[in-house]
Every structure is written in structure tokens, then in C-alpha cells.
Amino acid sequence: MSFEAAVHAKAIQLDKLSLDMCAAAGSGHPTTAMSLGHLVTVLMYHSMRWSPEAPEDPLSDRLVLSEGHGCPIVYAACADLGVLIGKDPASRRPMTRDDAMNLRKAESPVDGHPNPMEGFPFFDAATGSLGMGLSIAAGLALAARQDGIGRRVYCIIGDGESREGQIWEACDFIVDHALTSVLPIFNCNAYGQSDKVSPQQSAATLAKKLESFGFQVKSIDGHAPDQIHAAFDEFAKRGKGSAPMAVVATTVKGWGAPSVQGGGWHGKPATGAKLQKAHDELDAARVKLTSALAGDDDLRIFPPSGEMPAAAEAAEAPSFSAAMKSNDMSSTLATGRFATRKAAGLALRALGRVNPAIVVLDADVKNSTFTEWFALDKDLADRFVECRIAEQNMMSAACGLSAGGKIPFCATFSKFVTRAYDQIEMAVNSGANIKILGSHSGISLAADGPSQMSLPDVAWFRAFTRVRDHRGGPGFYILQPADAFAAYGLTLAMAEHHGACYMRTARPDVEFIYDDKTIFNLGKFEVLTKGRDLLIVSAGFMIHECNKAIELLDKQGVDATLVDLYSIPFDQNALLDLANQNGGNILTVEDNYAGGLGSAVADALTESGDGFTLQQMFVTRIPKSARDEEGVLSMCGLHHSAIAARAAAICGVGV
Amino acid sequence: MSFEAAVHAKAIQLDKLSLDMCAAAGSGHPTTAMSLGHLVTVLMYHSMRWSPEAPEDPLSDRLVLSEGHGCPIVYAACADLGVLIGKDPASRRPMTRDDAMNLRKAESPVDGHPNPMEGFPFFDAATGSLGMGLSIAAGLALAARQDGIGRRVYCIIGDGESREGQIWEACDFIVDHALTSVLPIFNCNAYGQSDKVSPQQSAATLAKKLESFGFQVKSIDGHAPDQIHAAFDEFAKRGKGSAPMAVVATTVKGWGAPSVQGGGWHGKPATGAKLQKAHDELDAARVKLTSALAGDDDLRIFPPSGEMPAAAEAAEAPSFSAAMKSNDMSSTLATGRFATRKAAGLALRALGRVNPAIVVLDADVKNSTFTEWFALDKDLADRFVECRIAEQNMMSAACGLSAGGKIPFCATFSKFVTRAYDQIEMAVNSGANIKILGSHSGISLAADGPSQMSLPDVAWFRAFTRVRDHRGGPGFYILQPADAFAAYGLTLAMAEHHGACYMRTARPDVEFIYDDKTIFNLGKFEVLTKGRDLLIVSAGFMIHECNKAIELLDKQGVDATLVDLYSIPFDQNALLDLANQNGGNILTVEDNYAGGLGSAVADALTESGDGFTLQQMFVTRIPKSARDEEGVLSMCGLHHSAIAARAAAICGVGV
């Protein structure tokens, strides 16, 4: 049997199972799957170096299915090949046809879209929210390069989803970093969900675009085994220094079964007589296309070669003061003031020197986030990834780096992190060990105005802090360091924790509050002042305003407690004890819109069932520019005089 | 004096003022401004049809400064021309040099980045978070076309920011919709913030990319007045049916003053001797480039011609039942079940027929959001905007449509709305009258799994509900209709309200709860069942689970109250009264991550200072696929049996 006939036979077999499993599930995207039958067959049964017995092997070539809804075709191949599945790595078993037929069941690891954390380790990341796969693939390739591993990364992208700008961010990124081990494969089946794709996403236009971005493009018939084979072989044989390559494959949505082709068949399973008809059509196609007896001889999977380099152990990082001194900043240290964003940059450099898994990404603001202290260290420079002004690609690339065993820290202004919230959520769904350093947070950057201020960010990340992730930890830790010691310590703590973390630093230089002896633990808080009349809870930059307010209150005879709630989630019982010790009077202060720290405290108080009085101070207007911090704090009603006035009123004292 | 000399003289004058105002502010981006001096001079003093006395005139050509940090150059021109400024439209006054020198002051309308709502109506939208301007420009152009107005829209884009994928989404959108009245002008000054731009963003590569996207590209020297003039003239003379045009201008960051050129001068004002040196260099350039006496004869601004079409009045929309009947769905109406997403689609069609300002945008899911009922109505089709799979562009285009006087409704899955949170926040900052219809919200879509489920969305939008926008209303209304009557009524209410709204509909068909007589008001709620033992507060799809739970509780002798909190914000006092009438026992139920409805109630309770017991039920795990709603509700602990059990426990009754 020829290779061509063998591919046709296998693709048709997988197409048929795709139809069946979607029919069983009562939903899914069989026609998208069928447009991918031949491409996936050549990849998974021939071109990729991998082993069905070790789908997560980092030495193996990887397949990122950016158009995640096409997953039935990959599931069909995995069922045919007996690829290991199962949520618990210790008790994985070969996938069967029955597993495929359990698609989308609540207890099944065969999820509606690629979802490695539910027990399908062949995939490296959750996909299905479109446009992210190529960035993930790029991250996987970067990790491999850093480890000196030769794995290739294939990425299948839908024509419709190539409308997402992130795809083009990824293309720029691949060219910038010469990630020639990534092969983007555009599946041009000409249909989106609700209509044909735009001519802007036609195979011809995509090829032109890719060439203009610097790719060498191979345009093929995505159902012609020899053309697919030749394209993938050409990719595999390319030497270092070649331009990145891309494949633009013209395909048919519902290939082989005319009765399920055309508009109106997106995301719709064929059932009953329609299912039978599609099977009959595919059977007829097989008769026509496979002249000899079926046989798999030409479809042989080769395992990867090589060995994983031994993972280097992480050593302990120096203290903040030691790091300042070893970076020639003793005199700055002596001033007693340093911005939290700078301390985070310093911590990354210190971390990078003791932990080889640390990778730092930035989006053209490294001189503001101070990740340049990592980038400019010649021993670390090759683990610094300049992503330019493209935050979506940065976060998904970090998700890929995490899947490749790295600990990625992504830095930019917190405001611009917003740009990638969907990518961040998909990284959480992927179980990614992602760390986000958002600088210039809240209103304290003042002069640049609201287009650069992060304001609803604490509310958004807080939603994840009460979700258990796949490892049982919180879906996110939000960390808000009040001084440089805290920012430094919490950056180290983020690296220790396996899971997603968001640290929110600020622009201004601020006074030291802590010292090298303070230990910062995720989930804890610090009591800065202990009083008995009122509990003030704040974090980050606002701690300094609260400290000034406490001085004013002290003059009025109000004896307030101040808690630095540097972590959300936090120890709720310990905070409730403090509230009770302060007469049940609580004031929260934060430099962002509602739903953040104040609501976290409100949630904790109301769960207890005890009576408390809580007043929340937060940003209640859309801010604008002011020339300095004082100006913007006054504008937003968060100046320390306003805090003191509110606190005094709670305690029944006039100011 | 020649045109060329006049432009040089004016550009140098504006450059010098840009330097001065940033020096006065102590921050800002003078060198970016100086790279734009000639381009902005030719635009604002020659090519644009507009009047400094009526900067917001919709007939005028518009300038969208996508790289918002370059705004000092526009401020300088406006100060020179006496363009009207001021927050209150009734008392605007001509801008002066003093105003320019007040850049970034708290009380100044001359904000750090373009910010029309603070009193600078020359700009149509807030920019500064990069990559959004071209989409806004496209929206402005679409609105003009719908109104039959001939205004042109110029958009200046930085080379660094053209790394943002959204720029390329906008390019596709402009070609798809033949928006030839938009002129993208790429300012290639070769420097980003922290470094030179990537070769991927060089003038040559940008030109190639733009050509591959379907633009006719004019590459020019951005400091050569005649070349700029010729390019803009060519644009203005183009006839209908031409390809869209783009200008790629090579410029110098800090043009005219070598002492502030090169890396290290991004976002940094020159002060003291450095400022003087830059001035001296610019003066020398003027001597060299302007051989005759200065004079403005060649720089003459022409006002726009034409007249605004009379705005048609909006009429009243029919009731839900009437709309169903007139759309041949009487038999569906009789089933007593209909999905909220479908009712929203129906409402858009009804609204479109009575209100000519309504425009509907969708991102290739119109057959899921049912905006196709608007799109397929031949009387409305030209107000339907297919945006394809590119949500960022959709939201910013809607911001532009709003600035052009339209009421844009943007529809897609709530999950994919996340993609555009930064664009949505900038639309709020712009004062945009934007309406977002997120479908398939929460977990009830079940089978597709978490990549399609919106989970932290309520928390994020809630952050805006406690912000006062520039008109004094909430920054956002979150609306969660429980049935079709509510979805229909709330869609109409969204159109009535001037301000940002987010409506969260669900996939499943659900039973009717209301009827045509129910009036849905933003900020209110409905009491569905009145009891005395426990107050259950829920919204949207979960109301139906709560109704079933109430039946179970009734059998156990628990007499619960059920509130449909369809709006956030809501009437807090009325809800507290109900809580008190129910023994202070409250249970909240929602189908999303924490920080949403439950925290909204917690905030209200703790502000009151009374003692209440609140338990919150929400999604506490990362969901996965299940084949039906029952399966996913059980998986997430939100099945009605779980709700009843929790409610009974609060009331001390065993289940």
C-alpha cells in the first residue's frame, strides 16, 4: 500500500470516529475535524517524533491545536494509537475508542476542547479561545532552545481565527527570535462559524501576509498526502539560519462527506440518517482513494532521540540588602527609599542567578519594570525575552514556556496586563506556572493619566483567588508589596510557589517598612501598628498613606491598627480576630476600583456571621492626570487626610 | 514664503512648545511629539477640513492619535490655533499657551494622554493604551458613512505600537468594509520605549505588511513637507472603489534637536540647559529651513462643507410578545421557553426598526448570539457590522461609532469579551455609549468546557459599577436577565440609558418567569418569591435553579424569599430591608467565579453595619465539559439540590 493510500485510509478512519464521537456527545465540531484528517494523520503517524506511551515527553515533538474545536480528530488518532490518558500521572492508561465515545462527559478526560489538566497530556495547554496557539507553540520552542533540545513544534491554526491579531503578534515574535523549530500550519477550510471567512483570510491572502512577515510559505492541498508529506519533510530538514517556514493548507470542512459540507455545519454533529450518510460517503471515498488492502506499514511513528539535560538545582537567593550591595546600590539602600517595581527587577536578577528555570519576558518597558537588570546581565541575557508591545503573545508564550518546564515571569505595566486577560485565564486553565509582574499599578503613577493606570485589576484577579486550581491551590495569588523588602521577598516567594501569581508594584520610590528579617509568605499579612479602636486594612502603595493617616489619628487620640494585607487570599481567621480586637470597626483603603481588597474583607466578615462595621475607601471616579501623587490622591479622595477623616468619623471623633 | 518653509517654521514652533510644556509638567513625551511635528502641521493647518471654533463638529475631518503619548504636538497646535477646550460644553474657551503649559495638572483639561471627557473635544476617544486608534478611526468612518457624511479620518500610529495585533485586525476590518475614508499614518521614528523597534516594525517591513493586507502604501519622509502634502492630497482625491491607502512616514524621534535624539529619550522631558540646547538646535534648523520671513499664508485651514442630516427620532419598540408574533414565532412563544440570548437578538431587531442610531456588531457568532435576526433584516443590514473573529477591533470600533453618534451593541460569547477588556476600559474613559451583549455566559453552556465559559467577568465589570462615570452614572451596569422577557426588556433599557452596559445572557432555553407587563429598570431588582426565613439572591440562569431549590425548601418547611438581582448596581436599601425581613439570613447563588453578585451583596451588608449571615455559592473549581447543564451544575456544586441543602443548613434544617 502506498503512503498516499495509507494516509487516506487512516484519515478516513479518524474522520469517521470524529463524526461518531460528536454524535455521541450531542455536540462538537466534526466537520472542522474532518478538514484536518490528512494533516493530523501525516503529523501524528509520520512526521512527529514522539511516543504514544509518553505523550508528555519533553523530548517529543509537540502539536498545539490552536483551533481547539478541531480536537476530535486528535482524540480519534489518540484512541487509535492508545495514547496514555488520565488525570493522575501515576495511573494513566491507553486511550480507547470507548474513551473517545465519552467525549465531553463530566467524568471523562476527553474534554470539549484541549484540556491537559483534566487528563489529556498529549496537549501542552488548554486552547479553544482562539488565536493563542501559535504563541504557545513559540513558548514551547523557546523553552526547548534554552534546554538544548531539538523538539519541533507544530501548530494548527484555523483560517477564521487568523483574524485574531495575536496570530500576527506571534508571527513577529517567531521571526524576531528565529524560532525556526515552530511550523505554523494554516487550515484554510474557508468557513468560520457563521459564514465563509473573509477574503482577508483566504489561503492566498494569508500566504501573502505570511511572506510579508518574513516566512517562507508552502501552499499545499491539505488533503493531498504527498504534498503534506513533502512540506513537513522540507520543514524537518531545514538548517539553522533559514527563515521560519509556514504551511498554508487548503482544505474542505467536512472533507469526504459532501452531505455535511458548506455553511450551517459548524459545531454541529450529524446524527441518525445524516450520520449514516456521512459514513457512507467516507466509505465511498476510501474505496476510491485506497486501491489496495489497508495496512499501516507506511505509517510508522518514530520516537524522539536525545536525552533531557539534567535539571540544575535552584540555590537560595541573597537577601534584599545583600542584593542591593552586590549590585552597587549601597548608597541607594542607605537612603531608605526604593520603588517596589525596582525591587522586583532586582529580585528577578537575583533569582535568575540561582535558578536556571527562571525566564523573564517584557513588553518594551524593561527600563520601567526594571527587568533590564535581568536583561543586561550577560549570564542571564539568553533567558530574557523581549516581546515588544504585544502583551497577548507574551502571556501565551509564557504559558508555552511553563509547559516546557520554565518559570516565566511576565512584566509590563499592570494596565497593559489587561490586554491579555483571556490569555491569562487560558494559562490558568492550562495549569501554567505563570508569574505576572504588573508595574505602575493603581493611581500613584499620576501624571500619565488613566490610560496607564490599572484600576479594575484587583477585582479581576481576585475572582481567581477563591477558585481551587487543578493542584488544589488558589487559582491566583494577588500580591501587593508595600516596600522594597516586600517586593523582593514576594518575588522570591512567587518563584517558590507552583501556580499562578500576580504581583502589583507601583512607580514611586517609597520608604522602607520592613527589613531582611521579615518573611513574606503567600496567604499571610503583617500587622504594622497595633491599636484597639479601629482596624485599617490596606496594601501596596496605600500603606504609606495609611501610615501618615495613623499619625494624624494618633494626635486625635484614635488608636488604630494597621494591617498590610499584602496577599489575597489571606488568613481570614487571623484578620477577624484583629477586627474583633478593634471593636469590630474596619476601614479598607485601596488605590483601585471596587471589588478588590475591600470586598475580600467584606466577604470574610459576612461569612463569619458576626456584626462588624466596614467602610471601604477605593477609587470612585475615573481618574485623570495630576502632576504628582499628592494631586491624584486628593482628586480620588484617597489622600491621607481623607483617610484620617474617614477613620475618625468611624470612631465618632471629629477631625 | 513657500509652503515647505511655512510648514518647517510651524512644525518647529510646535516642537518648541512641546518641549516647553513637557518640561513644565516634569514628564511627557516631547521627542515623540517632535517626530510628528511636520505630519501634524500639514494635517491640522492644511489637509484636514475642520474649524478650531468647533473641534467636535461631526462634519469635520477627525484626527485619532493612536500613539496617545505624542499628544503634546497636538496640544501645541491647538494652543496656537485657539481650539476650544473645557469640560463643560456650554463654557468652552480658546486654548492658550498657558493652557499648554498646564499640561498634566490635576485641574487642567490638557491631560497626559488624549482624554476628550476631561475637556478636550478635539479628540474623539481616550487613547494611550496602544494599538487601539485605527479601530476607533474605522468606527468613526463607519458612522459617517451611515450618516452620509463625507468626513475623513486620519489616524497616527506609532511603529512600536504596530506590533499590537489589534492594528492588523483593524487593517482587515478597513479592507473588509472598504473604509477608504480612513488614512492610517505610520510614524516610523524607529524607537520604542526601551529600545529601537524590531526590524519587523521597520518602515520597509510595515509597508510590505500593509500591501499584503490590501493597502496601497505611500512611503514618505515624514519631515518633508512636500512629500507629506502630496500623500495627503492623493488620499483626499481618491474616488470610491479605490483600495484603502496608508502612509508610512520615516521620521526622527526628537527631530531638529540632535541632543535629544536616540535611545534614552523616550518619555523624558528636557529641562534646564538641555532644554535650552534643544531650543537652540531647533532655532538653528529654522534658520536653515525657512529662507524667507515667517508667515502663515500657505497654512490655511478650510472648514468642512455640507450639512448634518436631521437625526431621526426613536419610536417605541413593541412588547416581547408582540415582537415574537411579528417574527412568526407565536408557536415558540406558546411553549413558554426561550433563551435569553435569543430574546436579546430579537430585541436588537425590534430596536433597530424604531431607532436609527442602533448599530450591531458581532464577531462571527451571529448565529449563536442571534444578532443574525438584525443582520438578515434587509432594512437593518447596513447597520450590522460583521467584525469576524477579532474582538479587540470590534470594541474599539464601537467606541468610534459611539463618538460618531451611534449606539453600538457588540455581541459575542461573554468569554471572548474578555479579549477586549482593555479596549472596553478605554471606551469607558472615552465616555462611549457602548453596549455589550455577552452570550453563553457562566457554566450553563456545559459541553464546550471552560475555554468558552465566562467566569471572572462579573467581578471585572462590577469594579466599574461603583465608579461614577463622567456623566455621574455608574461606569457600567451589569445586567443578568433570568428569562426572555427580562432579556428583551433590559436590551431596550440599555438603549435608553446613555452609558456603558454589559448584558450577560445564557445558552439554554429557559422558562418564562415574567410577562409583558414587567418593567425592567437599570438599578432595580424583582422579588420572585416572598418568604421570611431566608433571603436567596441570584440572577440570570441560576434563578431557575433557585426556583427549583425553593420548591424543595418549601417541602421542608423553609419559607424562603427569592430576589432576581438582574442589575448591578441595585437598590441597596430595598435589599437590606428584605434581608431584615428574612431574619438576616442571606444566600447568594451565581454561576461564575467569586467577586460578583455575592460580593456586591457582602459590600452592601457590611456598609450597613448591621449583623447579617451571608453565605455565597459560586464556582469554586475550574470547570470542565459536561454533556448537559445538570452535569456541569453538579460538578460545580450549584445544582438546585446543593442550593437547597445549603439554604436549609443556614436555617438549621437538615436535608
Side-chain angles (χ1 to χ4, degrees), chain A residues 176 196 198 392 415 422, chain B residues 176 198 388 392 415 422:
Chain A
D176 263 359
K196 289 196 173 186
S198 156
Q392 298 196 331
K415 174 64 163 65
D422 197 23
Chain B
D176 263 0
S198 155
R388 311 285 178 175
Q392 299 196 331
K415 174 64 162 67
D422 197 23

Side-chain angles (χ1 to χ4, degrees), chain A residues 528-531 534-536 543-563 640 643-644 647:
Chain A
L528 294 178
T529 311
K530 193 129 187 183
L534 170 72
L535 172 62
I536 302 178
I543 285 291
H544 301 273
E545 285 303 297
C546 290
N547 263 332
K548 291 179 206 158
I550 292 241
E551 282 175 37
L552 295 178
L553 288 166
D554 189 49
K555 288 178 194 152
Q556 295 181 283
V558 175
D559 190 15
T561 299
L562 178 59
V563 160
H640 56 265
I643 298 169

Side-chain angles (χ1 to χ4, degrees), chain A residues 55 83-87 91-96 99 109-110 119-121:
Chain A
V83 173
L84 290 193
I85 60 170
K87 199 161 177 176
S91 57
R92 289 200 174 128
R93 56 182 176 72
M95 182 172 177
T96 63
D99 287 314
V110 184
F120 203 85

Side-chain angles (χ1 to χ4, degrees), chain A residues 155-373:
Chain A
C155 181
I156 294 176
I157 303 150
D159 45 2
E161 81 167 315
S162 67
R163 184 83 169 211
E164 288 284 6
Q166 188 182 351
I167 294 289
W168 304 98
E169 294 179 2
C171 285
D172 274 345
F173 184 76
I174 286 169
V175 175
D176 263 359
H177 296 277
L179 295 169
T180 50
S181 61
V182 177
L183 182 66
I185 304 163
F186 288 84
N187 172 32
C188 297
N189 64 28
Y191 283 92
Q193 173 179 318
S194 72
D195 206 345
K196 289 196 173 186
V197 301
S198 156
Q200 292 295 105
Q201 277 68 51
S202 70
T205 306
L206 283 176
K208 268 192 241 169
K209 289 178 176 178
L210 286 161
E211 279 165 5
S212 77
F213 274 71
F215 284 78
Q216 188 199 316
V217 180
K218 194 89 190 165
S219 293
I220 62 169
D221 173 349
H223 300 292
D226 288 348
Q227 290 186 37
I228 303 171
H229 186 178
F232 293 168
D233 272 10
E234 185 180 331
F235 168 66
K237 282 178 195 145
R238 291 165 78 81
K240 280 197 174 173
S242 338
M245 181 174 154
V247 168
V248 175
T250 300
T251 62
V252 177
K253 202 161 175 172
W255 178 89
S259 65
V260 295
Q261 291 171 6
W265 275 100
H266 179 93
K268 206 160 125 182
T271 52
K274 286 179 178 165
L275 176 62
Q276 188 53 51
K277 181 157 192 199
H279 272 292
D280 292 345
E281 290 169 335
L282 283 165
D283 288 339
R286 177 165 45 200
V287 169
K288 193 173 141 200
L289 295 167
T290 61
S291 47
L293 282 174
D296 285 353
D297 294 355
D298 292 298
L299 299 180
R300 198 171 141 203
I301 301 171
F302 294 89
S305 57
E307 258 181 65
M308 271 301 284
E313 285 288 302
E316 192 155 347
S319 70
F320 172 67
S321 300
M324 287 291 281
K325 286 171 193 157
S326 70
N327 282 280
D328 294 330
M329 291 193 282
S330 294
S331 60
T332 306
L333 181 66
T335 65
R337 293 172 65 84
F338 205 54
T340 50
R341 62 183 165 126
K342 295 177 188 167
L346 189 74
L348 288 182
R349 184 174 187 181
L351 260 177
R353 290 187 151 270
V354 298
N355 187 341
I358 303 289
V359 179
V360 175
L361 303 91
D362 198 297
D364 191 27
V365 288
K366 59 181 176 287
N367 54 339
S368 288
T369 59
F370 285 87
T371 62
E372 68 179 11
W373 286 338

Side-chain angles (χ1 to χ4, degrees), chain A residues 515-534:
Chain A
D515 59 32
D516 286 328
K517 279 176 254 138
T518 320
I519 295 168
F520 297 94
N521 288 312
L522 309 191
K524 299 292 177 189
F525 59 78
E526 279 286 332
V527 181
L528 294 178
T529 311
K530 193 129 187 183
R532 55 183 188 169
D533 298 332
L534 170 72

Side-chain angles (χ1 to χ4, degrees), chain B residues 585-627:
Chain B
N585 296 320
I586 306 115
L587 175 67
T588 59
V589 181
E590 55 197 312
D591 60 355
N592 43 262
Y593 291 162
L597 181 148
S599 291
V601 172
D603 285 349
L605 296 178
T606 50
E607 275 169 25
S608 78
D610 299 338
F612 292 101
T613 300
L614 168 65
Q615 291 205 23
Q616 299 185 27
M617 296 181 77
F618 49 79
V619 179
T620 56
R621 59 157 285 173
I622 300 171
K624 65 174 295 300
S625 296
R627 284 196 177 166

Side-chain angles (χ1 to χ4, degrees), chain B residues 256-279:
Chain B
S259 64
V260 295
Q261 291 171 5
W265 275 100
H266 179 93
K268 206 160 125 182
T271 53
K274 286 178 179 167
L275 176 62
Q276 188 54 52
K277 178 154 195 204
H279 272 292

